[in-house]
Every structure is written in structure tokens, then in C-alpha cells.
Amino acid sequence: MSRLQKLSIYSLMGLMFVLASCGKFKYAVEKSDHALSIKMDSLELNIEIMDESIIHVQKSLAGVEIKKLPDYVTVLKAQDVDWKIQESRDQVIISTKAMNVLVNSDGTIEYQNIDGKHLLAETNELSYIHPDKETGNRVSQAFVAGDEALYGLGQFQSGIMNWKNVPLRLQQYNQEIAIPFLVSTKGYGIYWHNHSLTDINESQNEIQFSATGIVKAKKDEKLVPVDGEKENVAAYASKEDVEKNIRETTFTPSKTGVYTFQALSDNKGRMRGEIKVSIDGDDIINYSTIWMPRRYSGKKYLEAGKSYEVVFQNTGAKIPGRLFYNKPDYNKTVFSSTQGSCINYYLVQGENPQEVISQYQKLTGKAPLFPKSAYGFWQCRERYHNQKELLENAREMRKRQIPFDNIVQDWFYWPKGTKGPEWDRAKYPNPKGMVDELKKLNLKLMVSVWPEVKNDALEEKYGLKKIESSNYVDIYDPEIRENFYHMISDSMFHYGVNSIWLDGTEPEGVNNTKVNTAVGPYEEIQNPYSLLVTKAMYEGRREEFPKERVFNLTRSAYSGQQRYGAASWSGDVEASWEQFSEQIAAGLNFTMAGIPYWSHDIGGFFRDSKSINPQFDSQYTNPEYIELLTRWFQFGTFSPIFRIHGYVSETEIWRYGQEFEDMARKFINLRYQLMPYIYSEAWKVTNESQLLMSPLVYYYPEDKKTWGIKDQLFFGESMMVSFVTEYQKRTKEVYLPKGDWFNFWTDESVSGGRNITVDASFSSTPIFVKAGSIIPMGPKVQYATQATKEAVKIKVYPGKDAEFVLYLDDNETYDYEKGEYSEVVITYSESDKKLRIKKGAGNFMDFTKKPMKFIVDIVNSPEQKISFNGDETIISL
């Protein structure tokens, strides 16, 4: 339907509403410029029209004051848009040019698109407001789930792709990130505007175990690390309990279908030991990493009337643990928060996930462009022990001609007995000289910093206040945020450090959630902590160094964090095939939560028996580990941020044998050859709120076969990549959505709408390109901004008309915000087989003085060389 047709229908509907109105709503309705307020018997509704596609709903109990907390997330003010209302006795209909909002007399709200298609409806079942309740959740809003799949909500290690009906706790944790925004295949998103711990689809049933289980009360064995550098990664290890705390029972489902499960393992403190739930031998929950969350999700198809053996292992926990579930007919999407005096959410409408996320970023902020170097390769390990070691490895990487742009200094660069951004001059005698040498090597340095400070001198100098009962700074205080930034800037940026690795931003160390912060009880505002850390770093650095784009890496995230120049990574994951596979789904749901930049430790953080991972002996020689590292590296190549890392590891690629090094070079080179494509797609992230890495459902929401796929992704708009997640697998089954595709490696044309099996040798991973795509590729370079006289190859995949906008700027500053950039528009016409190149927006490049060289390469045709001087150029192919 055209926009003109929709506008006509909208006008006709407005007239019909007036003519068909059958009286007033049974409750008083107050309309202001941007909102509608309704006072019901015991409920007060306020519905704010933010724009044509974003509705803000707030519900409170009559006579109960809504507690005001800072809104750290939304940036959109209500826009001046046309909207109308129609009243009948039992319903009020709000109509914009994009959607209809139906408010019923029982307090529930329904949403339709402008064509009358049902999007979503509230239900009073499991919806409540209990502002004075001492235990359990205080506010809850339930929606009726339809025939849909749901994505987003952050990053979780369950391997689950589709969150429909799945019980999930939104709590910040090492390896888990809580973002209260989800996206539906039906064309809507929900941002739940509550900063406290939140349950999604809280479980309604529990599986009982006859035995209570045995929890050994042994103390952790304290290990003394080398040089006294004690920290909570390897400083403590649990002794193997004689009793593994394993319980068994049988479960007989009453209905056939997919059951969703949630295990509660521990109420407080870190757990070290396995958490596993198996049903008839099939592990539906399986965690064995050293840092454990408190709740775990899983799901399995079960048949009614059949008895299943359930085994629940909870080794290392301080309680026996409990196992909950939802039945297949749960059919609701429920947000329930531990704190809050009102129901508060935003409904975001769009035709597809792309539009929904774009609208969501209109509400919460767009992601700025990173410096071009950030999209290159990051050499990182735990850790370089001193200045000499870091520089030796940087020089060796350049000597061996391994392309990279960034090198990372992890922790313990600070003086012994402290924790904070201060250089230990015994190990790092000249930080500025170190950075200066790196710059001569065309490298940038990132250094890890915690918002947890254990350094009396720095605390006093910068006036840092901590959250009571912790070492974490009270980042909720604007003055503390500013002081925190200046502390880091003085010790890092003033020496030339380019970016900060903001570790531990959950934060994990506030054990007493009842304590106060600068804005109120911690338990009411704990989830956005990372958002405010990144805000401090972004705003401080932009003001102090306005000519340098901000890039920071952080272990946590929250709604709106995309606007603060930060990427997140998946935490201290272990090296296993299971957890590697889980990273793909974790990352895809993270980006679908509206934050486009994400990363992971290629190869896993805990890698071998020397780093508390007993699955593998020495990582440098174990063939299975090296193959796992290979497949993980291939995934990293097509992640938004491409970064290797590992605990007590020397991660440089030449240390793992020639076969691995050859593979790694191949994929690093490919990443840099794709830099014109990547950087242009990153411009779409900033300019159009698109995703650089996305699940297939992002582009194909109506294809139900894409809904559960968690080992394939889109990298940019045109490239679809699949990953091998099993040991010694040399072929891969790939799903190709409807249409024609090209094998990236062979240029073979393949028809879609089906599964195919393709080659996946040790040094390869399946890559397909949509017919009707254009991919620009540069030459091999050693770093992203390396000057070269070689031409950019324009690779054309025919079969449909195609367009690509090549983006160019200075790679480093924010001048693009002032229009200082250039676009080159490249189009291909299938009907006449002609390629057109013309100047697009911006005047950063003067092509008359500096023509751009291109090699035009249409699949299976001879190449053509051209020089583009700004005038429209037409090439017959």
C-alpha cells in the first residue's frame, strides 16, 4: 500500500470516527497536545504520543504518587504530530498516521498498524502494581503473545535465539547483559522503562524434587598467584565437593509442546561449579564457567503423558536450587520488575525489525561512528606484563606483516596493592614513550580500567565517592562521573592512550542492594550503571578531545548505551564448543536489542588447564583447541569488533602452528579487504540506525524458517555468513532464504528457499552474497587507514538491480556530523547490464583533483578499470 493510500485511509477513518461515535467513554478523558489521560476507578492511565510510531504508556494506582527517578535512556521529546481520538462507552481509539491505539474500559490497551492489522494486546492476567510489596516483584505488565518470534533483551549464554515464552532474568552480570527492549517479527518493539531487576515471562510452575540435595559448606581454597597479584579470576578455586549436589525426579507433562525452563541456582555470591539440567539425557541448561549468574534459561519439546527423567546438578552453589517452567500454552510476554510504583513502557511500531530498531534509536539515541581503525583487528591478551613485552609483540606483529590497528593493555599495569588507572613505573617506566612508539607503528592503545577503585591517593585527589559496601564509584552522581573521567584522562589520554576497556561495569561488587546512591536506593536503578560509565567517558572525551572519535569497550550495557561510543563484549567465557556456539546467539540478540556494536574473546577467555579450563591441555598444541580457536576466529572476522583475547595466554597468531596462522592471515586480510564495505555499512549504522551484524530474521521476519537460526548471520546488508560449531566438521548445512545467492568463495550461483550443504574446510567458512548486491573491496593493507594507490574493486553480484553507497571521510574526527564526508553512489541495472557511478551527498572528496580508481568486477565477467572524477560514469558490463 502506498503512503498516499494510507494517508487517504487515515483521513477517511478520522471522518468515520466522528460520524460513528456512539457516546463518550465511561471514564473522563483529558487530552493535551501530546497525551491522553484517563482516570479509572483505581487506575490512572497516561498515554503519550511521542510520534506517529512511538507510544509511551504509564499506569499508576489512583491516589498513589509515582516516584520520580532520572530517565537515563530516552532522548526523544514528544513530537508535534497529528492524532485523533474516537470515544465509545467501552473504548477510546487513538489514531496516528502509523497506528491505532485502542484503550479498553478494563484498563488494557491494544495496538494495530494503520491497516488495522493486530500487533499486540495487553492482558490483565499477570499484570499488577504493588508499590508497597516487600517481597517479589512490584510491577508487572503482561501482553498476549501471537504467532511471532521475539528477539533482543541483551546477551545471555543459553544459546536460545527466540525468547517467546522463555523465562529470563534481566540482571547485569559477567557474561550476561540486561537490555529491557525486545523486537517482534509482527512489527513492533517494547522498551520496558524500569531500571530495577526485571523478570521476563516469570515462571508459573515448579518441578519438585523429593530430596533436598546437599550443599557442602567448604570454604574456597585460596591460591597465591605469582607476584602477589591476587584477583578474582584465578586467585580462588573451589575444591571438588565430594557431594556434587545432584538431584533427580520424573516429570510428566500435561500438554504437548515446547516447555521453557528456568533454574534458580544461588541467591547471592559467585558460584564456582557446574549448573546442569538434563531431561532424558538432553542438557537443556549447561554452565561450567567460573563466574555464574543466578538464573538460567532453557527449553525443550515434550509430549503429554510421557514420563521424563530430570536431573538437576548444582555443584558449588550455596543453596540446593529450584527448577521452574512455563507450559506451551503460556502464550504471553510479561515484564515484571522488582521495584517501581508504576507500569511504564514504550510501544515502538515498524513494518519490520529494521524499522522498529530504527524507531527505537530515534527514542533512545543513535550510535556515533567509530574511528575507522576500530573496525580493524584488535591484538589483545591477558596480559602484557610490562612495557618491554608489549612493544616487542607490537614490533613482531608488524615485522611478520600481520595486519592490525589496535593493541590492548589488560590489568595489573598499576602499582602493587592498588587497583586503578595509574602506571607502575617499575614495569612501565615511560607510558608516553610507549604510546609514541606505537603511533609510529600506526597502532592505537587501549587500556583496561574499572569503575572499581582501590587507590586511596587517587580517591582523595579526585574526590571519588563509592557506593556503600563496595569499591564501585557512585557513578549516579554527575560530579563523580566528571571526576572519574578526569582521573582516567590524566593517567591515560594525556599520555596518548586512545581508548579505554571499561571492565566490570555491571557492577558485580555491590552486594547490599538496599544502600543509597546519589539518586536513590541502588536496587531501584542498578541496571543502568554501565550506561552512566560510558556516558562519563564519552561526554568527557568528546569535550576534551573534540577531534578524536570515542571508542570504548565495556563488559555491560543498557538501553540507550549505543549513543555513548561504546561496544560491549561477552565477558569471561570459557573455551568450549558449547559456549562458542552460544556466543553467536548471544551476540545476535544483543544487536537486536538496539545496540549495534558487540564483541567477544576469540578463543574464549578461559582457554586450557592452565587457565582453569580442564577441557584442554596446552592451548598452543592441543589440536581440538586449535580447531575451536579457528572456528571462533572465523566468527570474529564477521563480528562488529574483531578482537582476540585469552586468560594467561599469548594470543599472537604465530604461536598456534602454521596451519592456524595461515587461516588467521587469510581472514585478517579478508577483513581489511572488506574495509570499504564495512566502513560504509558502519555509516548506515550511524546515519540510518541499521545493524552491522544481524540474525537472518532481521531481513526475513516473515520467513519462519529463519526464526530459530542461530549459527548464521548477516554481516552488513549483503553478506550472509555461516559458522561451524562442531569439532572436525568439514561441511555445513546452510539455510538460504528465498531468492538467488552467490557463493562468495566460488562465485557459483545458488537458488534459495532451501537448505544446502556446502564445503567448510578448516580454513574456510560458508559465505553467501545476495543476488542484486554490490560489495566494494580494497587491497591488502597493514592497517585500516594505510594510504594506497591501488584501486577499489567493485564486485557486482547480478540477478537483480543493485545499489551501494560508498562512504568516505577523514576516518577520525566528528566532522562528518557537519557534513564533511562524501558518498559515491554505485548502481547496477539488471535490464541493461550497466553500472553507474555518481557523486552522492557530501563534499569531503574533490574527485576532480584526486580521481578515485575502481576495478569493476561483475561475477563471471572480465574486469574493467575506470577512473572516477566526480562526473557520472556509466560502464556497460
Side-chain angles (χ1 to χ4, degrees), residues 592-754:
M592 287 291 277
I595 304 183
Y597 290 113
W598 178 83
S599 181
H600 46 94
D601 294 351
I602 292 174
F605 185 63
F606 297 117
R607 289 172 162 229
D608 61 15
S609 56
K610 294 180 181 179
S611 66
I612 325 177
N613 183 21
Q615 296 189 60
F616 303 112
D617 52 24
S618 175
Q619 60 181 293
Y620 310 106
T621 57
N622 184 294
E624 184 175 354
Y625 176 76
I626 291 172
E627 183 164 330
L628 172 62
L629 178 63
T630 296
R631 296 309 190 184
W632 211 316
F633 202 93
Q634 291 163 359
F635 172 46
T637 306
F638 297 96
S639 298
I641 303 300
F642 182 21
R643 183 184 62 91
I644 197 168
H645 189 49
Y647 179 62
V648 292
S649 301
E650 296 179 347
T651 60
E652 293 77 20
I653 66 171
W654 66 82
R655 303 185 190 277
Y656 294 87
Q658 193 62 50
E659 187 178 22
F660 174 81
E661 182 180 342
D662 291 345
M663 180 284 308
R665 284 179 177 276
K666 171 184 174 179
F667 277 86
I668 295 173
N669 281 329
L670 177 58
R671 175 80 175 203
Y672 279 90
Q673 288 177 284
L674 286 170
M675 193 58 70
Y677 173 78
I678 294 170
Y679 198 53
S680 300
E681 293 292 303
W683 171 238
K684 287 162 64 176
V685 170
T686 295
N687 195 42
E688 303 173 22
S689 295
Q690 298 296 296
L691 296 182
L692 181 56
M693 182 183 84
S694 61
L696 271 60
V697 73
Y698 180 71
Y699 291 106
Y700 297 92
E702 296 180 357
D703 183 350
K704 291 186 178 181
K705 291 182 179 179
T706 69
W707 287 7
I709 292 177
K710 55 185 180 181
D711 57 2
Q712 296 177 220
L713 57 81
F714 270 95
F715 189 61
E717 188 173 357
S718 299
M719 302 184 73
M720 186 178 68
V721 192
S722 180
F723 304 102
V724 175
T725 58
E726 298 175 60
Y727 183 40
Q728 295 183 332
K729 196 79 182 263
R730 295 296 182 262
T731 60
K732 183 75 174 74
E733 185 175 355
V734 177
Y735 177 68
L736 299 177
K738 188 176 180 180
D740 293 324
W741 299 82
F742 288 89
N743 186 314
F744 176 80
W745 302 111
T746 66
D747 286 345
E748 176 189 3
S749 178
V750 186
S751 60
R754 61 193 177 110

Side-chain angles (χ1 to χ4, degrees), residues 23-26 86-93 101-105 108 110 112:
K24 296 292 185 180
F25 193 49
K26 64 189 297 183
Q86 174 202 10
E87 294 184 51
S88 65
R89 177 162 178 78
D90 293 317
Q91 193 175 69
V92 175
I93 300 176
V101 182
L102 288 65
V103 185
N104 300 312
S105 59
T108 61
E110 303 174 42
Q112 301 174 346

Side-chain angles (χ1 to χ4, degrees), residues 56-336:
H56 180 200
V57 174
Q58 205 169 39
K59 298 181 181 182
S60 60
L61 296 178
V64 177
E65 184 178 356
I66 297 175
K67 186 171 182 179
K68 297 294 183 183
L69 289 170
D71 180 358
Y72 296 121
V73 174
T74 69
V75 296
L76 180 69
K77 304 299 182 184
Q79 303 296 293
D80 292 327
V81 298
D82 291 333
W83 59 285
K84 296 179 173 64
I85 65 170
Q86 174 202 10
E87 294 184 51
S88 65
R89 177 162 178 78
D90 293 317
Q91 193 175 69
V92 175
I93 300 176
I94 302 168
S95 180
T96 74
K97 293 181 180 179
M99 60 188 303
N100 299 316
V101 182
L102 288 65
V103 185
N104 300 312
S105 59
D106 64 354
T108 61
I109 302 173
E110 303 174 42
Y111 300 92
Q112 301 174 346
N113 69 11
I114 194 59
D115 300 325
K117 177 186 174 183
H118 174 78
L119 297 175
L120 183 68
E122 296 179 349
T123 174
N124 280 327
E125 184 185 1
L126 302 181
S127 298
Y128 55 79
I129 305 173
H130 296 147
D132 299 320
K133 191 173 181 180
E134 290 301 318
T135 59
N137 290 325
R138 296 193 178 183
V139 293
S140 181
Q141 179 61 63
F143 303 88
V144 178
D147 184 15
E148 61 187 326
L150 300 171
Y151 305 93
L153 297 176
Q155 168 199 284
F156 299 90
Q157 304 295 335
S158 63
I160 294 174
M161 193 69 228
N162 175 5
W163 293 123
K164 184 180 177 183
N165 294 346
V166 176
L168 189 69
R169 165 59 69 93
L170 299 188
Q171 179 175 8
Q172 310 295 11
Y173 212 84
N174 186 341
Q175 304 177 50
E176 299 205 341
I177 296 176
I179 302 171
F181 174 68
L182 63 73
V183 181
S184 169
T185 52
K186 289 182 68 177
Y188 71 84
I190 300 171
Y191 162 56
W192 178 250
H193 193 38
N194 186 302
H195 298 333
S196 69
L197 301 188
T198 295
D199 289 303
I200 306 297
N201 303 330
E202 192 171 18
S203 303
Q204 301 301 298
N205 310 279
E206 182 173 2
I207 292 179
Q208 300 292 335
F209 293 86
S210 56
T212 60
I214 299 173
V215 180
K216 302 294 287 186
K218 292 181 179 179
K219 291 184 178 180
D220 292 336
E221 175 188 2
K222 293 187 178 181
L223 303 181
V224 180
V226 178
D227 298 328
E229 294 177 344
K230 187 179 73 173
E231 194 46 63
N232 285 333
V233 174
Y236 300 95
S238 289
K239 289 182 178 179
E240 186 80 3
D241 282 342
V242 176
E243 303 290 347
K244 296 210 179 258
N245 192 18
I246 298 175
R247 291 174 293 157
E248 300 180 14
T249 190
T250 58
F251 175 62
T252 305
S254 59
K255 298 178 182 296
T256 295
V258 176
Y259 281 71
T260 55
F261 296 88
Q262 185 177 58
L264 168 63
S265 175
D266 214 347
N267 281 319
K268 49 188 168 182
R270 285 172 166 165
M271 170 185 158
R272 295 181 270 294
E274 282 188 295
I275 166 74
K276 183 183 292 187
V277 177
S278 64
I279 298 179
D280 274 6
D282 180 18
D283 290 344
I284 61 166
I285 293 172
N286 188 353
Y287 280 64
S288 58
T289 55
I290 189 170
W291 309 140
M292 299 289 200
R294 297 166 190 174
R295 287 167 173 79
Y296 310 78
S297 302
K299 60 182 181 179
K300 183 176 175 61
Y301 180 88
L302 302 176
E303 296 178 8
K306 180 179 176 180
S307 291
Y308 293 87
E309 295 294 325
V310 180
V311 180
F312 185 2
Q313 177 177 344
N314 199 26
T315 305
K318 298 174 183 176
I319 62 172
R322 301 171 70 183
L323 183 60
F324 304 92
Y325 68 95
N326 285 326
K327 296 179 181 180
D329 60 356
Y330 182 79
N331 207 38
K332 285 176 286 294
T333 301
V334 186
F335 290 82
S336 310

Side-chain angles (χ1 to χ4, degrees), residues 380-447:
C380 180
R381 58 147 127 154
E382 194 290 311
R383 60 193 151 83
Y384 296 108
H385 295 80
N386 50 57
Q387 179 173 331
K388 180 175 180 289
E389 186 178 52
L390 186 148
L391 289 174
E392 283 177 348
N393 280 277
R395 295 185 203 112
E396 186 68 15
M397 292 277 286
R398 283 284 182 247
K399 180 181 177 182
R400 291 173 179 259
Q401 295 188 312
I402 300 169
F404 75 128
D405 273 271
N406 311 276
I407 194 165
V408 181
Q409 175 60 56
D410 204 348
W411 59 1
F412 291 120
Y413 57 84
W414 47 68
K416 186 182 296 186
T418 69
K419 185 173 185 179
E422 182 181 10
W423 295 96
D424 182 347
R425 294 311 175 98
K427 299 176 182 177
Y428 302 84
N430 185 2
K432 186 178 186 305
M434 177 178 68
V435 174
D436 288 343
E437 180 170 348
L438 291 174
K439 288 183 177 178
K440 291 177 182 178
L441 294 169
N442 295 293
L443 292 172
K444 292 185 174 182
L445 176 65
M446 179 167 73
V447 181

